[in-house]
């Protein structure tokens, strides 16, 4: 800390004030960061759709300006007033107010409340942790929630909707590591079938095949469980396709935030609709899931298929690409 003094470093800053809205690289110092218990030398962050929204004026995710986006970060503690963390500890943070209200990961240094931090689990490097990031953590929460319904590898296939997205691709990798039969649903079957099979999908189907509706509120029992980062009106069809006692882990709304349904799947098949919120996941559960991700749940196929790495200077273009839907795979930002 003392060696940094007033030394400046480059960070990606978003501002909105009397001079208008602007986003870009700025020179700042440690004194410009909001005070918090733990100071971290950030090694990697990641690029998420939410970060892309934070970089635009109409994104509606930022809760206070100025802000440094980056909802994920991992690195090394360089100063701490929290007894749980000491200088030299490897840590990571995802969610909470990081990158939307509290300065986030797109900076070589960050000050973060100790309550938001998780010790870097054995089995993961900081780069791997950020390749997993919020998307992989959300996938892990979804898988864990489905396991709590009682399904196992003999229960039948698990459907992963939005399979080529961050949550979907990580869910396929985790489920395949655990020995599940995975059916991946995508809107681009011809272009993505080989990729999804390499991730671990047993079968790749189109959205139309995934959302084939029966005549009534119930369709044929097809899926033991569903990882759904899509949501929207087709959720009604998905609920009607789940086997007795299974569940749908819902974590997103790229397909829309409204749907219609009936009580029938819930009272005749005991289907569970499980909401997944990775932002404010309790610390104990968060820490345990990250331990799983470093061991038996490690999404090896997703990590082995390669992760895009960019610098801060390349970040603006990368954020634009993710908003345009042109991003492929997971991207990490190297800070230190």
């Amino acid at each position: 800390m003392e060696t940094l003094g007033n030394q400046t470093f480059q960070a990606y800053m978003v501002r909105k004030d009397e001079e208008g809205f602007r986003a870009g690289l700025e020179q700042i110092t440690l004194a410009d960061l909001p005070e918090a218990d733990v100071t971290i030398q950030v090694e990697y962050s990641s690029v998420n759709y939410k970060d892309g929204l934070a970089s635009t004026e109409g994104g509606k995710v930022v809760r206070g300006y100025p802000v440094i986006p980056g909802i994920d970060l991992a690195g090394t503690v360089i100063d701490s007033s929290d007894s749980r963390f000491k200088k030299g500890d490897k840590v990571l943070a995802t969610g909470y107010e990081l990158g939307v209200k509290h300065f986030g990961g797109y900076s070589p240094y960050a000050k973060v409340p100790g309550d938001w931090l998780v010790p870097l689990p054995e089995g993961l490097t900081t780069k791997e942790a950020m390749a997993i990031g919020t998307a992989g953590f959300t996938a892990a929460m979804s898988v864990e929630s489905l396991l709590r319904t009682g399904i196992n590898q003999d229960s039948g296939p698990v459907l992963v909707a939005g399979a080529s997205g961050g949550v979907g691709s990580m869910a396929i990798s985790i489920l395949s590591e655990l020995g599940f039969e995975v059916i991946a649903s995508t809107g681009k079957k011809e272009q993505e079938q080989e990729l999804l099979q390499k991730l671990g999908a047993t079968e790749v189907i189109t959205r139309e095949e995934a959302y084939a509706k029966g005549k009534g509120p119930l369709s044929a029992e097809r899926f033991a469980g569903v990882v759904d980062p899509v949501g929207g009106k087709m959720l009604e069809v998905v609920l009607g396709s789940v086997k007795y006692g299974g569940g749908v882990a819902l974590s997103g709304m790229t397909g829309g935030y409204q749907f219609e349904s009936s009580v029938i799947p819930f009272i005749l098949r005991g289907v569970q609709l499980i909401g997944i919120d990775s932002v404010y996941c309790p610390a104990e559960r968060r820490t345990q899931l990250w331990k799983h991700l470093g061991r038996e749940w490690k999404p090896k196929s997703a990590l082995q298929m390669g992760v895009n790495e960019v610098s801060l200077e390349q970040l603006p273009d990368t954020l634009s690409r993710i908003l345009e839907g042109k991003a492929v795979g997971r991207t990490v930002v190297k800070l230190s």
Side-chain angles (χ1 to χ4, degrees), residues 296-315:
E296 71 276 17
W297 292 21
K298 187 172 183 177
K300 295 176 184 176
S301 59
L303 295 175
Q304 288 169 354
M305 287 178 65
V307 177
N308 303 311
E309 182 177 308
V310 299
S311 64
L312 261 181
E313 289 75 16
Q314 296 169 304
L315 181 59

Side-chain angles (χ1 to χ4, degrees), residues 38-58:
V38 184
T39 304
I40 301 161
Q41 183 170 0
V42 182
E43 296 170 16
Y44 288 94
S45 184
S46 67
V47 181
N48 302 279
Y49 189 74
K50 192 172 184 179
D51 299 313
L53 292 175
S55 70
T56 64
E57 186 172 8

